[in-house]
Amino acid sequence: MALLPGRVVLVSGGTQGVGAAVARAAVREGAAVVVTGRRPGPGEALVAELTAAGGDAAFVRADVADVAQARASVAAAVERHGRVDHLVNAAGLTSRGTLLDTTPELFDAHVAVNLRAPFFLMQEVVRHLVSRGAPGSVVNVISSSEHGGQPYLAPYVAAKAGLAGLTRNAAHAHRRDRIRVNGLDIGWTDTEGEDATQREFHGAGDDWAAAAGRDLPMGRLADPGEIAEMVVFLLSDRSGVVTGSVVDWDQNVLGALD
């Protein structure tokens, strides 16, 4: 049986990487999907791929760092389908900064994308669900770095740690509305965005992912499709009553030492 039959799923940052993988998985599980992103090219290409395979998909151009655009993306999904049942916050910013060299502008950019955008997207979707008296679910794509992370991820860690706390707070606040909110602390993942980050900030070559994978316990980076399967499960009724969970989805055991 499909996990999301007839459901409407809004995926922020859904044009590439984990977000695009979630969109593909949700369509396979019977959902209609609305994906958002800043670049029309990848968004329209993904929608063409999904619709060619018989799926119901649409792209909404939105920079979720702008609260007005984030809110408008929810309104666009509701206008298209009459409702939204599920939200996935997959948009993310991973530009580098340490405690000593992060500027106020870089810090604000991380908060805008990695924390403020999920906050106001959840606000709009939860408000919509409450107004309908309908159950629903949210999955926030967070990061295992929210536990501490590398020194060069200071503003990223600050924002993602905030998102982990927000996930628990929203879940607690709306559990009696039957709106479940969960998060995934994902580890190092092989995505287009990570490829660009490695090349821009670390001078990586074409073989960086294979080289990095050799040093990891499972011999490879995580795959977005694997993460998407977990996201879809958490969105679906199959995950039962679970809410307020932030799952460490990683191959390293955080807190354990050799």
Side-chain angles (χ1 to χ4, degrees), residues 69-93:
Q69 292 186 46
R71 286 174 165 162
S73 70
V74 179
V78 173
E79 181 178 2
R80 178 180 175 86
H81 294 286
R83 70 185 201 282
V84 171
D85 302 303
H86 308 288
L87 168 67
V88 179
N89 280 306
L93 177 67

Side-chain angles (χ1 to χ4, degrees), residues 181-207:
V181 185
N182 294 290
L184 285 184
D185 274 351
I186 66 172
W188 204 357
T189 305
D190 190 359
T191 65
E192 301 96 323
E194 182 62 17
D195 181 73
T197 296
Q198 290 296 320
R199 292 175 188 274
E200 178 180 357
F201 293 100
H202 302 286
D206 293 341
D207 64 342

Side-chain angles (χ1 to χ4, degrees), residues 26-64:
V27 166
R28 286 197 304 271
E29 295 296 339
V33 173
V34 177
V35 297
T36 75
R38 293 177 299 168
R39 297 180 299 147
E44 292 166 358
L46 176 63
V47 166
E49 170 197 328
L50 296 176
T51 55
D56 185 341
F59 168 69
V60 175
R61 186 174 186 177
D63 180 353
V64 293

Side-chain angles (χ1 to χ4, degrees), residues 3 7 24 46 57 60 91 98 118 144 146 149 171 174 187 201 205 219 226 230-231 233 241-242 245:
L3 289 174
R7 306 292 179 82
R24 293 184 180 101
L46 176 63
V60 175
T98 69
S144 59
E146 64 99 351
H174 292 284
F201 293 100
E226 300 166 330
M230 183 66 169
V231 170
F233 171 75
V241 298
V242 65
S245 291

Side-chain angles (χ1 to χ4, degrees), residues 1 21 38 74 78 92 99 110 143 173 204-206 212-213 220 232 234 256:
M1 293 178 60
R38 293 177 299 168
V74 179
V78 173
L99 180 66
H110 273 275
S143 170
D206 293 341
R220 63 178 177 85
V232 166
L234 287 172

